[in-house]
Amino acid sequence: MAAPLRIQSDWAQVLRKDEGEAWLSCHPPGKPSLYGSLTCQGIGLDGIPEVTASEGFIVNEINKKSIHISCPKENASSKFLAPYTTFSRIHTKSITCLDISSGGGLGVSSSSDGSMKIWQASNGELRRVLEGHVFDVNCCRFFPSGLVVLSGGMDAQLKIWSAEDASCVATFKGHRGGILDTAIVDRGRNVVSGSRDGTARLWDCGRSACLGVLADCGSSINGVAVGAADNSINLGSPEQIPSEREVGTEAKMLLVAREDKKLQCLGLQSRQPVFLFIGSDAFNCCTFLSGFLLLAGTQDGNIYQLDVRSPRTPVQVIHRSGAPVLSLLNFRDGFIASQGDGSCFIVQQDLDYAVELTGADCDPVYKVATWEKQIYTCCRDGLLRRYQLSDL
């Protein structure tokens, strides 16, 4: 990764004013940072500002919502994208999690104000309030149908909700600590949860029953991910015949991001170990990119890309700042990452520059969700932001 470029979080508003100025910086690893500024020289007839950069920086292109900047000395280049729209009325406090339904019509989000809400993805209009967890809701996601929501809370409970009438249709009990992440297996007959109690569990949604403890590691499980395994990967065989209530677990891997600096991979059906990788700090989040490639992010800002077939040495380690990596999401032929310093960026194979999603000013961006060409983020500042990739 080239040296990261940073920009003033509200650059799009500031540069719409005549002589408006926004700061810029470039942070080459192991070298002094370079600082500069952008100045608006007036607004063109098309409503797009004419912007010049101070010495050492170049404005390659500018649109209403995006600006492409280079720092030739460090061979660095980034495209900054401002939010298309911001939803400020859904929650009053920090927003810890969000998801968008498979059809793109609805969003669900949870907040440190204790609430979980379903809203219209197009305009942020509130549709339903999901009430029933005691204490904070840590994670929420739609089932593939888009009509049902799965949530996990500090009350050690998993709940399933109808998005249509906000009723809680099932509650799963069994964890002894707060639930920090969930994953849905296939179409959702089974789900996986990871908890502060150090266990990952598999659940039967139809009977609200625990089908087994998949991992018991004695350390808080911060993130879980389920992915289909490439044929070349040996997932091992289960010691006991799986319950007939297990649906879609065969040929799947479970990834577990642990507080004790370990990233664990096992066969979902076999419960047998595939690998154990030790990182630089606590693992916060993880995701599969393919049947053998995966990503995991740590508390000290490392994004590890690993190949399950030879996991000892990372394919690459991306480090842009020391801020915690809070979410990772597979996206097109790359990924989207968000960090505790407010940065949120897209890395794609065929692009020689990163796309930076701007707007959060040093407040952690906890989660990212996508639907087609739209990207949604949630942040400690209590705002949900929607970015339009067509604005690039």
Side-chain angles (χ1 to χ4, degrees):
M1 288 284 287
L5 289 168
R6 303 218 170 99
I7 197 169
Q8 187 171 316
S9 61
D10 58 352
W11 64 270
Q13 288 99 307
V14 175
L15 295 177
R16 297 195 70 73
K17 303 182 186 87
D18 217 0
E19 293 182 16
E21 202 170 88
W23 61 261
L24 260 181
S25 58
C26 179
H27 303 268
K31 291 202 269 186
S33 297
L34 305 166
Y35 296 94
S37 61
L38 298 168
T39 309
C40 173
Q41 308 291 353
I43 308 287
L45 292 171
D46 51 7
I48 294 168
E50 314 243 341
V51 173
T52 54
S54 60
E55 195 183 342
F57 295 92
I58 294 171
V59 179
N60 302 318
E61 187 189 1
I62 182 164
N63 295 313
K64 280 186 180 168
K65 295 282 184 186
S66 73
I67 187 165
H68 187 176
I69 307 282
S70 297
C71 174
K73 185 180 169 218
E74 293 301 334
N75 196 19
S77 180
S78 286
K79 202 167 229 192
F80 297 98
L81 184 60
Y84 177 76
T85 179
T86 300
F87 303 141
S88 57
R89 305 233 295 275
I90 299 173
H91 295 284
T92 53
K93 286 188 183 162
S94 172
I95 304 170
T96 49
C97 195
L98 94 152
D99 194 25
I100 301 295
S101 65
S102 52
L106 294 176
V108 63
S109 54
S110 58
S111 164
S112 62
D113 62 14
S115 70
M116 178 167 45
K117 297 178 178 180
I118 291 175
W119 34 275
Q120 197 80 29
S122 57
N123 57 13
E125 195 178 301
L126 189 63
R127 296 295 296 271
R128 298 278 178 266
V129 179
L130 306 179
E131 290 176 314
H133 276 288
V134 192
F135 314 126
D136 282 4
V137 181
N138 292 326
C139 46
C140 53
R141 65 168 71 238
F142 284 99
F143 278 81
S145 67
L147 304 171
V148 185
V149 168
L150 174 68
S151 65
M154 283 315 265
D155 56 8
Q157 297 183 32
L158 276 164
K159 288 181 177 284
I160 295 181
W161 311 79
S162 159
E164 295 172 302
D165 65 4
S167 60
C168 177
V169 293
T171 299
F172 306 162
K173 295 181 182 177
H175 277 296
R176 293 182 305 281
I179 292 160
L180 300 179
D181 199 15
T182 61
I184 291 173
V185 182
D186 260 14
R187 294 211 305 266
R189 301 265 296 275
N190 295 169
V191 298
V192 174
S193 57
S195 161
R196 286 173 83 152
D197 66 14
T199 66
R201 292 172 181 257
L202 183 70
W203 303 86
D204 170 5
C205 293
R207 292 186 181 163
S208 306
C210 180
L211 291 170
V213 175
L214 303 170
D216 189 351
C217 55
S219 170
S220 179
I221 293 177
N222 297 325
V224 291
V226 169
D230 187 76
N231 299 336
S232 63
I233 295 160
N234 178 13
L235 296 178
S237 304
E239 285 165 15
Q240 294 148 344
I241 296 169
S243 153
E244 79 282 356
R245 302 292 300 176
E246 266 193 44
V247 184
T249 55
E250 64 282 349
K252 299 263 193 336
M253 298 177 283
L254 171 67
L255 203 51
V256 179
R258 296 166 32 172
E259 185 68 22
D260 61 2
K261 305 187 183 181
K262 290 176 181 149
L263 182 71
Q264 180 181 357
C265 181
L266 45 119
L268 183 57
Q269 188 182 70
S270 71
R271 325 280 205 260
Q272 301 296 323
V274 176
F275 73 79
L276 187 67
F277 178 85
I278 299 172
S280 56
D281 203 346
F283 279 100
N284 290 331
C285 51
C286 54
T287 189
F288 285 100
L289 294 177
S290 73
F292 52 85
L293 282 178
L294 60 93
L295 291 176
T298 61
Q299 184 67 13
D300 60 356
N302 284 327
I303 299 172
Y304 290 90
Q305 185 177 355
L306 299 178
D307 186 326
V308 180
R309 300 165 302 184
S310 55
R312 278 197 180 148
T313 317
V315 179
Q316 63 172 336
V317 181
I318 295 169
H319 184 92
R320 303 207 340 166
S321 79
V325 181
L326 300 176
S327 78
L328 289 165
L329 182 64
N330 183 358
F331 182 69
R332 299 189 181 168
D333 57 355
F335 65 90
I336 307 176
S338 72
Q339 289 185 264
D341 58 1
S343 68
C344 184
F345 57 95
I346 310 172
V347 175
Q348 281 181 276
Q349 240 89 57
D350 55 347
L351 291 183
D352 56 355
Y353 56 85
V355 174
E356 310 278 340
L357 305 178
T358 62
D361 185 11
C362 303
D363 274 305
V365 176
Y366 290 115
K367 197 83 177 173
V368 181
T370 61
W371 186 74
E372 292 188 349
K373 284 192 166 181
Q374 294 167 32
I375 300 175
Y376 295 78
T377 64
C378 67
C379 181
R380 191 175 67 186
D381 62 13
L383 300 178
L384 286 154
R385 293 178 173 87
R386 184 176 116 208
Y387 301 85
Q388 203 81 22
L389 278 189
S390 47
D391 283 339
L392 288 172

